[in-house]
Amino acid sequence: MGDGKFSTRAAVLWSTIPKQARERILANVFCVKCGDSVPIINFTGEERDGDVCLKGLCAKCGLEVVRVVETSETDSSGN
Ligand SMILES: [Zn+2]
């Protein structure tokens, strides 16, 4: 889809996350300026301690936002 630039390891980890969960993550990144969950745009992904660290911009105000996705927890559906 070309919607993000990932390092090789981050891409592998990211691919283990169900598509639906990935879309939800990308649409709900907390922005301190907006004080709300916002879509992340122009993001990149890097592997960090076995998790995926997403860095990008708030779709609403353009502030840099970061989200660490704990891939080790994605096999439980949670609430
Ligand atoms: Zn914002």
Side-chain angles (χ1 to χ4, degrees):
M1 304 219 305
D3 59 352
K5 187 178 179 188
F6 286 74
S7 69
T8 304
R9 286 191 64 181
V12 170
L13 290 168
W14 187 240
S15 70
T16 66
I17 302 171
K19 185 170 184 288
Q20 196 174 16
R22 293 191 304 227
E23 289 176 350
R24 194 176 61 213
I25 289 164
L26 294 174
N28 294 282
V29 177
F30 187 78
C31 173
V32 294
K33 190 172 176 183
C34 296
D36 201 358
S37 293
V38 299
I40 186 172
I41 59 171
N42 294 350
F43 60 88
T44 61
E46 292 180 4
E47 182 271 342
R48 192 167 75 184
D49 298 331
D51 296 328
V52 178
C53 181
L54 299 174
K55 285 184 186 174
L57 302 176
C58 168
K60 292 184 179 177
C61 75
L63 189 76
E64 185 178 272
V65 291
V66 175
R67 171 144 182 184
V68 175
V69 182
E70 296 181 0
T71 56
S72 56
E73 292 185 0
T74 55
D75 58 347
S76 64
S77 55
N79 291 312

